[in-house]
Amino acid sequence: MSITLPFLERLISYKSVSKEPIVPLASYLAEHAESLGFDVSLYESQPGKVNVVAHLGPRDEGGLALCGHMDVVPVKNQTWSRDPFVLYKDGDLAYGRGTCDMKGFIAAVYSALQRINPSQMKKGLSLVWTHDEEIGCVGAQKLCETLQKNEVSLPQSMLIGEPTSSNICRMHGGHSTLEISFRGEPAHSSKPHLGRSAISAAVQAIRKIEEIQLLFAHQPCPHPEMQECCSLIHVAQIRGGEAINIVPEHCSILVGIRPMPGAEFSSIMEQIDHALHSISMQTKVHIEKTLLQHAPALLTPDHTLLAASLKTLHPTAQSIGVPFATDGGCFQEIGCLPIVFGPGSINQAHKADEFISIKELLSYEELLYKLIYKWCL
């Protein structure tokens, strides 16, 4: 009997909003994995933040990893019809924060595992639950660094259950956050020639960034799965100035960068560096940049064993690319070959009254059970 919905109800009750402590939910998932026979390791990134890695069966090559993130986006200032942290069912739809992105997937995993006999495992199965994916794949980055440092490997074949409407995705965009700080020279605003405005320099930088975006618009991603999506760069936040009568000494902007598969992130940074150097020389304003967060784009080779297995089990699945980022880009950099394949639509994620189709979720659970059985038993 499926426990997907009762398990999902429990997961939704954990208010695991990004930046908040994740330990209660991580501990629950770890304990449940242990009850199923998994060896579990908790990797602390900082106080209140842990990643969970659980393993069942042989540790030889050829195993399978199932990966998802535990955090959800905030509900503050969203208008929900009901409590977002209480699962609500209405017909075929289940509502609640995380139903789609991506606690529905985690619930389906644990429900499918109820039907697996640990003593019959021929290949290994790993569960990888990360923290703070929603704010830039932070947990996955920390986990990859720790695993490499400790010489711990994950299975090369990795399924990431982000919502793709059960389509097969081998590529997606990256997501990075760049802070650019400007330091000028303050002066009385009645004599601006005695100062150097940090805000004026920032305005010039914003114009240059917009010019770079116009160039990107004419360079669509060459992979047909991406449907001509182009790399993106935009200014998301700006802060600066001290008072109305002072030439501003300080200003900073936050820049979001989303390179598409195949685009060189280093090339994008070189364009930004060139523009900032020119502005600094012209305005005599000191400019520094800090990469706050970097989640690489994903480009898994075509025709992997995992993609072929999913296609066999789900013949109507399409091969797609998506512009949003997942933990897959980070795990790709340590040798994994991630495929993103999960229930629910990204169109329902991050909004009020987030939902998932119960029928789709239960169908996905059955497919997941067949994948685990075929792969590992």
Side-chain angles (χ1 to χ4, degrees), residues 201-214:
V203 168
Q204 292 188 45
I206 291 171
R207 288 174 180 154
K208 287 292 185 182
I209 289 168
E210 290 173 342
E211 290 175 8
I212 294 172
Q213 176 56 56
L214 289 175

Side-chain angles (χ1 to χ4, degrees), residues 191-248:
K191 293 190 174 183
H193 61 283
L194 297 179
R196 297 189 297 274
S197 170
I199 289 180
S200 293
V203 168
Q204 292 188 45
I206 291 171
R207 288 174 180 154
K208 287 292 185 182
I209 289 168
E210 290 173 342
E211 290 175 8
I212 294 172
Q213 176 56 56
L214 289 175
L215 292 175
F216 288 167
H218 296 287
Q219 301 169 359
C221 183
H223 302 284
E225 293 98 322
M226 294 302 296
Q227 298 182 343
E228 297 191 339
C229 288
C230 64
S231 297
L232 301 168
I233 182 169
H234 78 290
V235 177
Q237 292 182 11
I238 181 169
R239 295 183 293 270
E242 289 77 30
I244 193 66
N245 58 352
I246 303 175
V247 172

Side-chain angles (χ1 to χ4, degrees), residues 67-354:
C67 176
H69 61 81
M70 298 176 286
D71 61 314
V72 296
V73 296
V75 299
K76 186 178 180 180
N77 297 325
Q78 291 186 339
T79 305
W80 284 72
S81 300
R82 300 170 184 84
D83 187 337
F85 297 105
V86 176
L87 188 71
Y88 174 79
K89 291 173 283 186
D90 184 7
D92 179 52
L93 302 182
Y95 292 86
R97 174 56 87 221
T99 49
C100 171
D101 185 16
M102 57 184 299
K103 292 179 177 178
F105 165 72
I106 298 176
V109 168
Y110 278 93
S111 185
L113 290 173
Q114 301 292 322
R115 302 157 65 183
I116 297 298
N117 186 341
S119 66
Q120 296 179 349
M121 300 286 287
K122 302 293 193 303
K123 293 289 184 181
L125 178 67
S126 295
L127 308 179
V128 183
W129 309 133
T130 65
H131 69 80
D132 290 343
E133 186 272 351
E134 295 290 8
I135 55 174
C137 305
V138 175
Q141 294 174 58
K142 297 289 187 182
L143 178 60
C144 289
E145 293 170 3
T146 301
L147 293 179
Q148 285 190 305
K149 181 180 179 180
N150 296 335
E151 298 183 345
V152 176
S153 61
L154 294 173
Q156 189 177 51
S157 296
M158 172 178 282
L159 186 154
I160 298 179
E162 291 276 9
T164 64
S165 299
S166 299
N167 289 309
I168 300 168
C169 172
R170 69 179 182 94
M171 63 181 73
H172 64 57
H175 181 215
S176 301
T177 305
L178 180 69
E179 181 178 44
I180 306 176
S181 300
F182 305 82
R183 189 178 77 247
E185 181 70 28
H188 196 286
S189 61
S190 67
K191 293 190 174 183
H193 61 283
L194 297 179
R196 297 189 297 274
S197 170
I199 289 180
S200 293
V203 168
Q204 292 188 45
I206 291 171
R207 288 174 180 154
K208 287 292 185 182
I209 289 168
E210 290 173 342
E211 290 175 8
I212 294 172
Q213 176 56 56
L214 289 175
L215 292 175
F216 288 167
H218 296 287
Q219 301 169 359
C221 183
H223 302 284
E225 293 98 322
M226 294 302 296
Q227 298 182 343
E228 297 191 339
C229 288
C230 64
S231 297
L232 301 168
I233 182 169
H234 78 290
V235 177
Q237 292 182 11
I238 181 169
R239 295 183 293 270
E242 289 77 30
I244 193 66
N245 58 352
I246 303 175
V247 172
E249 180 180 7
H250 298 285
C251 186
S252 66
I253 59 177
L254 284 184
V255 180
I257 307 170
R258 291 185 180 271
M260 291 300 112
E264 291 291 338
F265 182 72
S266 59
S267 176
I268 296 174
M269 293 298 285
E270 286 174 5
Q271 293 181 66
I272 296 172
D273 282 341
H274 179 75
L276 295 180
H277 177 73
S278 176
I279 293 168
S280 181
M281 294 297 291
Q282 177 187 347
T283 63
K284 306 303 181 184
V285 168
H286 180 72
I287 303 177
E288 292 184 351
K289 69 181 195 319
T290 305
L291 188 62
L292 300 180
Q293 162 273 323
H294 176 56
L298 172 68
L299 183 56
T300 296
D302 203 1
H303 306 303
T304 59
L305 180 58
L306 178 54
S309 298
L310 291 171
K311 190 66 176 177
T312 299
L313 293 169
H314 190 32
T316 60
Q318 300 178 30
S319 296
I320 65 170
V322 294
F324 59 83
T326 78
D327 285 334
C330 297
F331 290 114
Q332 174 184 248
E333 295 200 327
I334 63 168
C336 296
L337 298 176
I339 294 293
V340 187
F341 177 84
S345 168
I346 196 67
N347 294 337
Q348 308 307 327
H350 296 198
K351 57 170 58 174
D353 292 338
E354 177 183 345

Side-chain angles (χ1 to χ4, degrees), residues 1-12 28 87 89 107 111 362:
M1 179 179 177
S2 173
I3 64 164
T4 294
L5 289 179
F7 203 84
L8 178 58
E9 184 173 23
R10 179 67 182 272
L11 298 184
I12 296 299
Y28 175 69
L87 188 71
K89 291 173 283 186
S111 185
L362 296 180

